[in-house]
Amino acid sequence: PSLPPRPRPLSRMRQQIVDLLRQHPEGMSPAQVRQALRTEKDLGDTMGGMARDGILTKEAGRYRVSEQW
């Protein structure tokens, strides 16, 4: 019997984003996350990818951690 696929571990940056957003259930924009994490990296593409992967949800420009994550 084959086992269900295991979710890939999150990269360090993705894990930091998830940890931060869990502390902010109201959601945050990529710019707010970038400022909070003190990174120069534009996080729009990263967070958009996380939404496509089902890790985050986006509403009105703010991202939150998906309930099923």
Side-chain angles (χ1 to χ4, degrees), residues 2-59:
S2 63
L3 297 172
R6 299 182 85 192
R8 270 188 16 220
L10 297 178
S11 70
R12 184 170 180 252
M13 179 58 71
R14 283 184 170 213
Q15 187 62 59
Q16 288 178 318
I17 292 168
V18 167
D19 292 345
L20 178 65
L21 289 175
R22 283 194 172 131
Q23 296 171 32
H24 296 274
E26 73 281 6
M28 296 176 77
S29 71
Q32 291 171 316
V33 172
R34 185 181 75 223
Q35 186 175 26
L37 295 179
R38 294 185 170 93
T39 182
E40 297 296 317
K41 180 176 169 54
D42 180 353
L43 298 176
D45 287 344
T46 300
M47 293 173 72
M50 292 173 74
R52 282 189 301 278
D53 292 343
I55 301 166
L56 303 180
T57 59
K58 180 182 179 186
E59 185 178 324

